[in-house]
Amino acid sequence: MVFEGDRAPDFTVPLAGGGRYDDVSEFTLSEAVGDGPIVLAFVPGAFTGGCTEEMRTFGSELDSFEALDASVYGVSVDLPFAQNVWIQREGFDVPMLSDWDHEVIRAYDVVYPDMYGSIESAQRSVFVIDSDGIVTYRWVREGGNPEFGSFVADVRERVDAAHR
């Protein structure tokens, strides 16, 4: 389990950039650490209502995160090709990390074992990682979804604190 104050587990996964379906590159967390705070927003699945609303909300606030030198990434177990279609269809600019082999959700201990009673997915959660690779904020959903507007504003405040 990863808690605030812990070193963020490193990983390398496909990155869906949101262009054509085959707009896929590689992302390694340890290579991104040091460039400013990193927000990892784990979502259960592409094309679902709550996940789409959350990623749209983060997307509408990307400028305010970038003003803090922060990078925001969505994380789901979907293939990066599907993530690209989802980004295009829903019109958000948040790059998505594809944890298709479920190693990242296990490393961060955010496994949702029975989405729709049948598949393993990511538990809705957010981690803020500072420039030293330390987790400065951890939130894991318990119960229903938060109101995403105020939730994303709270995450931005946590990023601002990590940025100082």
Side-chain angles (χ1 to χ4, degrees):
M1 189 168 289
V2 178
F3 292 101
E4 292 175 13
D6 290 348
R7 179 157 300 284
D10 196 18
F11 58 86
T12 299
V13 294
L15 168 70
R20 293 170 20 120
Y21 73 92
D22 61 352
D23 177 15
V24 179
S25 58
E26 186 175 86
F27 175 88
T28 300
L29 180 64
S30 59
E31 293 175 4
V33 166
D35 295 337
I38 296 171
V39 176
L40 299 178
F42 290 82
V43 296
F47 303 102
T48 58
C51 300
T52 298
E53 182 181 353
E54 180 178 354
M55 289 299 98
R56 281 183 182 162
T57 305
F58 270 110
S60 69
E61 295 294 326
L62 276 181
D63 289 344
S64 63
F65 283 97
E66 290 170 359
L68 299 171
D69 296 322
S71 300
V72 177
Y73 298 94
V75 184
S76 76
V77 298
D78 301 287
L79 290 172
F81 315 107
Q83 290 173 329
N84 277 330
V85 172
W86 184 39
I87 292 167
Q88 289 173 11
R89 181 180 293 169
E90 299 300 337
F92 59 84
D93 294 326
V94 179
M96 294 295 301
L97 303 176
S98 173
D99 184 25
W100 62 271
D101 62 5
H102 301 206
E103 288 182 13
V104 180
I105 63 172
R106 289 187 181 107
Y108 282 76
D109 196 30
V110 291
V111 175
Y112 182 33
D114 60 351
M115 183 175 171
Y116 298 123
S118 62
I119 59 173
E120 181 178 87
S121 187
Q123 176 68 27
R124 187 176 314 282
S125 51
V126 172
F127 294 81
V128 175
I129 302 164
D130 70 12
S131 295
D132 295 320
I134 304 300
V135 175
T136 61
Y137 176 68
R138 174 187 184 270
W139 175 86
V140 179
R141 178 182 68 185
E142 292 181 17
N145 287 334
E147 191 286 310
F148 289 114
S150 59
F151 174 71
V152 169
D154 182 52
V155 171
R156 189 177 54 249
E157 288 177 19
R158 301 297 182 130
V159 167
D160 187 32
H163 181 65
R164 288 186 230 152

